[in-house]
Amino acid sequence: MNPRVIGTVRSHLVSRDQCPKYGDTSMPPVWIELAPDFEPAATDLQVGDAILVLTWMHKGDQAVLRCHPQGNRKLPMRGIFSTRSPDRPTPIGLHAVRILGREGLRLKVHPLEVIDGTPVIDIKPDNATLQGTAEFSSLVNPDTGQAILSAARDGWLRGLFAGFNGNVSMRQGERVVITATGSAKGHLGPRDLAVVDLATGTPLTSVRASSELAVHLEVYRNQPLARAIVHTHPPKLLALSLRGEGPLLDLPLFEGRVFADKLTRVPAHRPGTPELGQAVGVASRDFEAVFMDNHGLVCRGETMTQALGLSEELESLAGIAMRR
């Protein structure tokens, strides 16, 4: 009995002879066209997700029980269950891929080495990526994850983070990837990243998000240009604010005027509260940097480099202001 088909692969490969014996990352991506009936099941699939695609290898010979591995007759025959041959009693293919694009019910994935017209019988999240210390969650795009880890490390090296304070995030479609609570920013690993739903804040991974999640969510919700956020506790800027000597960064320097115009401040609110998140979110509509009195600095950017770079500029100017 054939399983229920949920979609079809649209591939440049048209015959078994053209298919590589193992996943070939040099191949172009292919498309999976899902059947309309399964639209509700695909609602949460997003670009960047790691998924397992199960196919029905309809051209396979279901009578085969032994074969030459990789079709190489110079190799001794082996039982079919110890090979990945498409010829097998139940010809189910298992493919670890990432979603590179999405157009409605069409998913662009890579690498998937099956012939055009191959039926798709199921899709699952690739939770196996959580088992390796060098792998990100199936919900974290590797480029996003690496950008967060690198920014946290760079900020720590520049003294913007100390110990376990601060947090870093990036928007990934309708999700937010953010550093975990209690994580040391100078020593992050893939398991220190949490994923939450942007609209509701619902956690999508078992990793607990930073206590300042509300700030990040409100900035993304209020400012469509925000794609990355860096929240630091910059010692010079904090020390300058405690002097209470008027506006922050009131310097007769060209750079001072340029960057001071990007900065505003909000009154003190208890960290981690909705009130703080709402105050910073509203301020982010007009400013790229928000100083939270008695707490720290939040910088947004269209890229992680912009967000971190603005944090560095403001801390550098604070150092100059303190020496006046």
Side-chain angles (χ1 to χ4, degrees), residues 132-168:
T133 58
E135 297 289 342
F136 294 104
S137 159
S138 62
L139 299 182
V140 178
N141 184 303
D143 291 339
T144 299
Q146 192 55 57
I148 293 176
L149 266 56
S150 296
R153 179 75 174 182
D154 290 345
W156 175 73
L157 290 172
R158 289 161 175 74
L160 297 175
F161 300 111
F164 304 98
N165 69 28
N167 31 77
V168 183

Side-chain angles (χ1 to χ4, degrees), residues 178-182 191-196 203 205-211:
I178 186 170
T179 49
T181 185
R191 295 178 183 235
D192 294 313
L193 300 182
V195 184
V196 302
T205 57
S206 60
V207 181
R208 185 181 174 189
S210 167
S211 59

Side-chain angles (χ1 to χ4, degrees), residues 34-295:
L34 298 174
D37 289 349
F38 300 100
E39 190 278 334
T43 301
D44 301 304
L45 294 177
Q46 294 190 17
V47 173
D49 287 359
I51 58 174
L52 297 174
V53 176
L54 281 70
T55 60
W56 184 258
M57 296 181 287
H58 59 305
K59 298 293 186 180
D61 185 343
Q62 293 180 248
V64 172
L65 299 181
R66 292 178 64 80
C67 72
H68 296 282
Q70 303 179 46
N72 186 349
R73 293 188 172 277
K74 294 182 180 180
L75 298 175
M77 295 190 75
R78 303 186 66 182
I80 207 70
F81 295 153
S82 61
T83 77
R84 292 181 62 85
S85 171
D87 298 318
R88 54 200 319 113
T90 306
I92 295 175
L94 179 64
H95 318 269
V97 304
R98 279 208 181 261
I99 301 176
L100 302 185
R102 179 166 184 177
E103 297 176 357
L105 289 177
R106 300 178 73 237
L107 305 177
K108 187 178 185 180
V109 301
H110 186 259
L112 183 54
E113 70 286 3
V114 298
I115 63 174
D116 186 62
T118 296
V120 176
I121 59 175
D122 203 2
I123 294 175
K124 302 176 183 291
D126 188 2
N127 293 328
T129 58
L130 296 173
Q131 297 175 5
T133 58
E135 297 289 342
F136 294 104
S137 159
S138 62
L139 299 182
V140 178
N141 184 303
D143 291 339
T144 299
Q146 192 55 57
I148 293 176
L149 266 56
S150 296
R153 179 75 174 182
D154 290 345
W156 175 73
L157 290 172
R158 289 161 175 74
L160 297 175
F161 300 111
F164 304 98
N165 69 28
N167 31 77
V168 183
S169 75
M170 289 191 74
R171 179 171 178 171
Q172 184 180 278
E174 295 307 310
R175 299 173 184 153
V176 173
V177 183
I178 186 170
T179 49
T181 185
S183 57
K185 306 308 172 294
H187 308 278
L188 293 180
R191 295 178 183 235
D192 294 313
L193 300 182
V195 184
V196 302
D197 181 81
L198 174 57
T200 65
T202 303
L204 302 176
T205 57
S206 60
V207 181
R208 185 181 174 189
S210 167
S211 59
E212 289 296 2
L213 174 63
V215 166
H216 293 252
L217 292 178
E218 290 298 333
V219 172
Y220 290 125
R221 292 166 181 166
N222 281 274
Q223 178 48 261
L225 293 177
R227 311 303 298 183
I229 296 172
V230 176
H231 166 212
T232 61
H233 293 188
K236 295 172 185 175
L237 195 58
L238 283 166
L240 188 64
S241 72
L242 294 176
R243 289 184 175 182
E245 298 174 358
L248 288 173
L249 304 182
D250 185 17
L251 294 170
L253 298 173
F254 175 75
E255 292 83 359
R257 292 192 296 272
V258 168
F259 287 101
D261 288 343
K262 299 177 184 291
L263 175 67
T264 190
R265 63 195 298 177
V266 296
H269 292 279
R270 186 177 179 83
T273 59
E275 291 76 16
L276 178 60
Q278 291 165 7
V280 176
V282 171
S284 71
R285 297 174 184 173
D286 300 311
F287 295 91
E288 297 173 43
V290 180
F291 183 80
M292 303 171 288
D293 280 347
N294 301 340
H295 188 29

Side-chain angles (χ1 to χ4, degrees), residues 8-13 29-33 106-107 112 114-118 120:
T8 306
V9 176
R10 297 305 177 195
S11 171
H12 59 286
L13 302 171
V30 303
W31 289 87
I32 296 174
E33 295 181 350
R106 300 178 73 237
L107 305 177
L112 183 54
V114 298
I115 63 174
D116 186 62
T118 296
V120 176

